[in-house]
């Protein structure tokens, strides 16, 4: 029975080069704080405030490198706090999603769409996918055993790329529901 590492992805923002310049100043380059588990991805020193119609959330992490579209990934609890309706979507699928304002030390950006709750997913290399018997875009379930809150997550999207490292990503609401704290492993159920 093969298991996959479960990682919690807290609220964060992906920015375009244009929005980095507006929020942090022309010519600014994101400052790497630490590498993330997915190759080439990193958490930045810079932070922004995310403003919704109801409330704001300060000091939200930015993940690098820059992207082709600005995207704000929040939990559904965060979405309620902000006062937005964040659809559950795969990263990058922001068409028609919720708007918000981002505030940085040098400026503000209003995005007309881009706020989502990330669909839970598993990153696999082609070799990992073969070992687990799954394909790109396949929907699976993952069973997590924990103290008093074991559960099975359904609707987990498998994402396969040679650029990935094996890990399942869930948001903070999902981690709390499963008591998935520290090093947690899940069993993939086809």
């Amino acid at each position: 029975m093969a298991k996959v590492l479960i990682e919690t992805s807290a609220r964060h923002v992906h920015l375009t080069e244009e929005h980095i310049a507006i929020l942090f100043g022309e010519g600014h380059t994101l400052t790497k704080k630490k590498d993330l588990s997915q190759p080439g991805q990193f958490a930045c020193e810079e932070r922004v405030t995310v403003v919704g119609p109801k409330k704001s959330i300060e000091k939200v992490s930015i993940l690098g490198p820059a992207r082709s579209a600005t995207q704000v990934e929040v939990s559904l609890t965060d979405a309620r706090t902000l006062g937005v309706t964040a659809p559950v979507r795969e990263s990058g699928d922001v068409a028609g999603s919720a708007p918000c304002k981002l505030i940085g030390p040098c400026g503000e950006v209003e995005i007309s769409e881009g706020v989502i709750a990330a669909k839970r997913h598993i990153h696999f290399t082609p070799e990992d996918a073969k070992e687990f018997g799954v394909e790109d875009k396949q929907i699976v379930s993952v069973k997590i055993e924990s103290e008093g809150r074991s559960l099975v997550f359904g609707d987990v999207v498998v994402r396969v790329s040679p650029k990935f490292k094996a890990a399942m990503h869930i948001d903070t609401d999902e981690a709390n529901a499963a008591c998935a704290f520290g090093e947690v492993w899940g069993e993939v159920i086809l």
Side-chain angles (χ1 to χ4, degrees):
M1 163 180 41
K3 293 196 174 193
V4 65
L5 180 65
I6 310 295
E7 296 179 327
T8 302
S9 182
R11 70 178 76 105
H12 62 272
V13 177
H14 298 281
L15 296 171
T16 62
E17 291 286 359
E18 175 190 5
H19 290 165
I20 292 168
I22 293 168
L23 295 167
F24 298 100
E26 197 62 46
H28 185 83
T29 302
L30 294 173
T31 309
K32 185 189 293 189
K33 180 178 182 178
K34 68 175 184 176
D35 287 316
L36 301 176
S37 66
Q38 295 307 306
Q41 304 294 306
F42 55 92
C44 302
E45 295 285 350
E46 294 84 356
R47 304 287 177 125
V48 292
T49 298
V50 178
V51 182
K54 190 173 165 188
K55 289 189 179 178
S56 301
I57 300 175
E58 296 182 350
K59 299 180 181 174
V60 177
S61 295
I62 297 170
L63 301 187
R67 294 246 181 127
S68 60
T70 291
Q71 175 176 295
V72 179
E73 294 184 34
V74 296
S75 69
L76 293 176
T77 299
D78 289 338
R80 280 192 289 284
T81 298
L82 292 167
V84 299
T85 301
V88 177
R89 301 264 183 86
E90 284 191 64
S91 183
D93 181 7
V94 298
S97 61
C100 74
K101 179 171 34 173
L102 301 173
I103 302 174
C106 296
E108 300 179 356
V109 173
E110 293 267 358
I111 59 172
S112 59
E113 60 187 17
V115 182
I116 65 166
K119 188 170 182 70
R120 51 187 165 251
H121 57 280
I122 303 173
H123 293 278
F124 277 145
T125 64
E127 296 77 22
D128 296 325
K130 186 175 181 180
E131 177 186 336
F132 279 81
V134 296
E135 297 177 353
D136 190 45
K137 301 298 181 192
Q138 184 174 343
I139 305 297
V140 299
S141 296
V142 176
K143 181 179 181 180
I144 297 177
E145 297 283 346
S146 63
E147 191 67 38
R149 285 204 161 180
S150 297
L151 58 73
V152 176
F153 284 117
D155 303 315
V156 180
V157 178
V158 173
R159 296 172 56 189
V160 180
S161 169
K163 296 179 182 178
F164 291 157
K165 181 178 175 188
M168 177 178 169
H169 289 161
I170 58 176
D171 70 22
T172 51
D173 285 349
E174 294 164 324
N176 288 336
C179 281
F181 312 123
E183 186 174 311
V184 177
W185 295 81
E187 176 188 349
V188 177
I189 303 169
L190 304 180

